[in-house]
Amino acid sequence: MTPSRPYIVRAIYEWIVDNDCTPHLLVDANGADVVVPTAYVSDGQIVLNISPTAVVSLQMGNHSITFNGRFGGQPIDIFVPIASVMGIYARENGQGRIFDTEPEPQPPHSPEPPERIRPSLKVVK
């Protein structure tokens, strides 16, 4: 099965926006391939306002989140792999979801078949 994190992020994003709140994305800025403005990174993390009024061209796919945002008045293209998303929550009340730091477990591709136990019969008199 595919990881559930991208689906959960999209669902919570819609829920936050539908309730007229501001969605914020908590990102591990040190993650592989993350592209964010380093001047706004604190303790290896960055919080991104991803509300429809704050970003342009928001794309929330199964592998990454991309958009164009403004930082210090300058437009910047942002790229966040889903694995670097640490959480999504509403600024107004903090409701949302913080994800575990460990990657989601992947099911084995070819499970071992169970060991067959040979039946044994006894003669009862």
Side-chain angles (χ1 to χ4, degrees):
M1 290 184 69
T2 61
S4 61
R5 186 175 298 198
Y7 300 93
I8 294 169
V9 169
R10 287 191 295 266
I12 293 176
Y13 172 84
E14 286 187 32
W15 174 69
I16 291 169
V17 171
D18 286 351
N19 284 282
D20 297 320
C21 291
T22 309
H24 280 194
L25 198 65
L26 178 61
V27 176
D28 175 5
N30 297 324
D33 300 325
V34 172
V35 178
V36 295
T38 56
Y40 296 89
V41 173
S42 176
D43 295 326
Q45 301 175 352
I46 187 169
V47 176
L48 303 169
N49 176 350
I50 57 171
S51 70
T53 58
V55 301
V56 177
S57 302
L58 177 65
Q59 297 291 319
M60 301 175 83
N62 286 345
H63 303 288
S64 65
I65 297 173
T66 61
F67 60 91
N68 183 278
R70 296 184 81 78
F71 294 85
Q74 298 297 316
I76 299 175
D77 289 326
I78 303 297
F79 181 85
V80 178
I82 288 294
S84 294
V85 173
M86 299 171 68
I88 183 168
Y89 61 92
R91 176 183 66 196
E92 291 78 5
N93 57 22
Q95 290 188 351
R97 168 87 186 260
I98 300 297
F99 296 101
D100 294 334
T101 56
E102 296 179 13
E104 292 185 22
Q106 297 295 321
H109 293 291
S110 57
E112 294 287 324
E115 212 175 287
R116 288 192 59 147
I117 300 173
R118 191 168 185 192
S120 62
L121 298 174
K122 293 183 179 178
V123 177
V124 179
K125 292 187 179 185

